[in-house]
Amino acid sequence: EVQLVESGGGLVETGGSLRLSCTTSGFTFSTHDMKWVRQAPGKRVEWVSFIDRSGYGRIYYTDSVKGRFTISRDNAKNTLYLQMNGLEVEDSAVYYCALGGDPVSPTYNYRGQGTQVTVSS
């Protein structure tokens, strides 16, 4: 059974930083591309970032987070990360790690339960 468990969310002020983690099990992590998506209240799911299975090949970000967020992975630990710096109020959302779907779209086959990120002004 595929399991994705996010952690690391919280409440921060504008300009602050958070590091999200996603621990995985139930599949061979090192052979799967991964992504982060987010959903704010009343809004559609938004694709945030993608990383290929190697961790150093294809890496993509949505325009609004470029230069502020960094996606990475540790295949030895079966864990995906999202380092978020320079957080803005507009980044407030539930963040999900996800598996499957097109690389730069919010579609997925599996996602975790999410971790809440709230940025205060």
Side-chain angles (χ1 to χ4, degrees), residues 17-20 68-72 81-85:
S17 297
L18 286 172
R19 189 194 195 203
L20 306 184
R68 301 187 296 120
F69 290 12
T70 303
I71 192 171
S72 63
Y81 303 100
L82 187 67
Q83 177 67 44
M84 306 187 296
N85 299 329

Side-chain angles (χ1 to χ4, degrees), residues 12-89:
V12 295
E13 294 183 345
T14 299
S17 297
L18 286 172
R19 189 194 195 203
L20 306 184
S21 298
C22 173
T23 57
T24 73
S25 62
F27 66 105
T28 306
F29 182 71
S30 62
T31 63
H32 286 76
D33 304 332
M34 297 292 296
K35 66 174 75 170
W36 287 96
V37 298
R38 65 186 180 185
Q39 188 169 26
K43 295 189 176 181
R44 292 183 175 182
V45 175
E46 177 187 21
W47 168 75
V48 177
S49 184
F50 166 91
I51 188 167
D52 75 0
R53 62 205 64 186
S54 75
Y56 51 82
R58 295 173 296 154
I59 293 178
Y60 308 128
Y61 300 96
T62 193
D63 286 346
S64 63
V65 309
K66 283 180 181 177
R68 301 187 296 120
F69 290 12
T70 303
I71 192 171
S72 63
R73 63 191 294 160
D74 186 334
N75 285 347
K77 295 183 178 179
N78 296 331
T79 302
L80 177 72
Y81 303 100
L82 187 67
Q83 177 67 44
M84 306 187 296
N85 299 329
L87 282 161
E88 302 170 353
V89 171

